[in-house]
Amino acid sequence: MGNISFSIVVATKSRVRLLTELIESIDVARKNYPGDCEVLIVDDSVPDESEAVREVCGEHDCKYIFYENGVSAKRNYGVRQAKNDVILFLDSDCICTEHIIERYAEKYTDERIAAVAGPLEFVGEDTWFWKAIEATPFLTCFYLPRFIPKVEWGVTANFSVRRDVFLEVDGFDESFKRPAGEDVDLGMKICEKGYEINAAAEALVYHSKKTWIPVKAMFRRLNFYGTADCDLIRKHPDRGDLVLPKRSMLYIIYALLIVLVSVSTGQRWVLAGIPVVFLAENLVMSWLVNRLSQEKKATLIQQFVAQLLIHDSDFAYLKRCAALGDFSNIRKQMIYYVGQYNGMLEIGSYNTWLQLILLMCIMAVIIILL
């Protein structure tokens, strides 16, 4: 086990306190691992914070690298500077468990295993907004390595890969300018080469909730996710499956119908139907999802906020398709993992009936007004 050497690469910016906590946890993990393990911190903070990060690195035997670029580019640069067999990517808002390196090393049993993904557990205060985030499907991928032996990709906040394989597939695609999608793409490139990605359930990392719960930051994050979905489907067409039109696209159609009726009848008050339809559709969907949920963790209002977050991602997806002029993918859904279909089909069947009823109501109003 100790024969495998590790290079831990952390890309960071303006997170001195969180980064310090991560590095302190890495210290413990390094002491527990008998093999070689170096740590590379790739930073582009402002001068004062950059100096603070440099000092922390000096105190904990970490290599400090200043590299001003995007997250994917910083990680790629860190790998090029690394010298060991396996790269372990961690995020600066995480804390690793004390035996994480050992648990990763145990999984590299033969050359076919090119990468290993570990799970994340979110820790911190359970705020009202966090309960809404938990009601979305966006956290599932962070937990998957805990429940299945093999995966097709792993979240970069806790993901290891053989350095030579990483370089063979050209690392992270830097065209993903925003921090979303590049980790999925990396895993898929690895699998397309015929390699395997194992899961290490005990290679656990604790992820702070603090960087997720600011409302504006979370909506921005999901906007990135929606944009990345479109780019991933374009790059990996076999991962995009046709589904019923997205709820956000149907809402745009409803809004256009309402605008058309308002213009045709000259009655501006009809435009009030746009927010009314949006609120009604989301409230009914929130009620349905809560009713279907086996573990009712969210209130109706929290579930409503969760639906707004989902819409945010979907609207970003549609916007990206339109910006690229790629309307062939506008009805596709990115498939991230085996089992994703089960939830989609269950919710989708209820959503179909909801949209049909909503459309009939809108058409009835149109007929009455015209």
Side-chain angles (χ1 to χ4, degrees), residues 309-320:
L309 289 167
I310 293 169
H311 269 298
D312 183 41
S313 179
D314 282 353
F315 276 128
Y317 178 88
L318 298 175
K319 181 181 177 182
R320 181 64 171 167

Side-chain angles (χ1 to χ4, degrees), residues 326-340:
D326 186 4
F327 297 100
S328 62
N329 287 329
I330 208 162
R331 278 190 51 212
K332 288 186 178 179
Q333 172 74 43
M334 180 68 192
I335 304 301
Y336 284 98
Y337 57 90
V338 176
Q340 184 175 334

